[in-house]
Amino acid sequence: MLQWKIFLAFFIPGILGYGGGPSSIPLIENEVVDHYGWLTVQEFSEVLALGNSLPGPIATKMAGYIGYQQGGVLGAIVAVFATVAPSLILMISLLGLLYKFKDSPKVKKMTLYVRPAIAVMLGVMAYNFFSGSYFNIGIWQTMFLVVASYVLMEKLKIHPAFVIMGALGYGAVFLS
């Protein structure tokens, strides 16, 4: 039964998460935090940060970690397969059809209408992370990390993985 829950927790976001990782992350969060209660928002944000710092697709790394945490090696395998299965099924069954209509104005316009919904979902997730940080470490620590992250990534062009490692180090030293 647990393996089936793990499969559904990652298969459903894989189906609904149009565009891959960034659009499926809020859906995965909904499943593992709100629906099944396997992680808290804070734990999910840490898994997301870790997944962002490693190379490769975010959703599969998160699926592997959460699947392993809940169901061991078999849970990790099931979660990763469930994450890639919707794309695999779609590629195999509909590739010819999509290739035939790839230049259609209707198809192009349809994808433009999906983008605002993805932006809203990412905004809600960012707000949840910010409010969780605010309640856990306070406004001054949160604002320091926000400003420092912005300056490091946008002004100094430091890779986000190094910024995340720096924030982890800051938290280990100053927030313990």
Side-chain angles (χ1 to χ4, degrees), residues 1-8 67 70-76 78-79:
M1 188 66 174
L2 177 63
Q3 304 304 332
W4 179 246
K5 288 180 181 179
I6 292 171
F7 180 82
L8 289 178
Q70 295 304 311
V73 174
L74 182 60
V78 168

Side-chain angles (χ1 to χ4, degrees), residues 1-166:
M1 188 66 174
L2 177 63
Q3 304 304 332
W4 179 246
K5 288 180 181 179
I6 292 171
F7 180 82
L8 289 178
F10 292 98
F11 186 75
I12 293 170
I15 291 173
L16 301 176
Y18 178 80
S23 63
S24 65
I25 290 171
L27 301 170
I28 293 171
E29 179 189 19
N30 181 62
E31 292 293 318
V32 301
V33 174
D34 299 332
H35 188 249
Y36 292 109
W38 292 333
L39 300 174
T40 64
V41 172
Q42 178 68 28
E43 292 168 333
F44 184 82
S45 66
E46 291 169 2
V47 171
L48 178 61
L50 181 64
N52 271 326
S53 67
L54 298 171
I58 299 167
T60 54
K61 291 179 287 192
M62 292 176 63
Y65 178 83
I66 296 168
Y68 181 79
Q69 183 184 36
Q70 295 304 311
V73 174
L74 182 60
I77 293 169
V78 168
V80 170
F81 176 73
T83 302
V84 299
S87 298
L88 183 65
I89 293 167
L90 183 64
M91 279 181 11
I92 291 171
S93 62
L94 299 176
L95 189 58
L97 185 64
L98 289 175
Y99 186 73
K100 183 178 179 181
F101 294 107
K102 71 177 181 171
D103 295 325
S104 167
K106 289 182 181 180
V107 171
K108 288 181 180 180
K109 193 175 278 190
M110 182 180 67
T111 59
L112 291 175
Y113 290 136
V114 173
R115 289 181 185 168
I118 293 170
V120 168
M121 290 190 306
L122 288 171
V124 168
M125 184 179 69
Y127 173 78
N128 288 338
F129 286 168
F130 182 82
S131 64
S133 175
Y134 169 75
F135 288 116
N136 288 326
I137 64 172
I139 189 66
W140 297 114
Q141 299 289 345
T142 300
M143 292 310 296
F144 171 75
L145 290 170
V146 166
V147 170
S149 298
Y150 175 79
V151 169
L152 290 171
M153 287 189 299
E154 295 298 321
K155 301 297 182 190
L156 301 177
K157 303 297 183 200
I158 304 291
H159 192 275
F162 296 119
V163 176
I164 291 169
M165 288 189 307

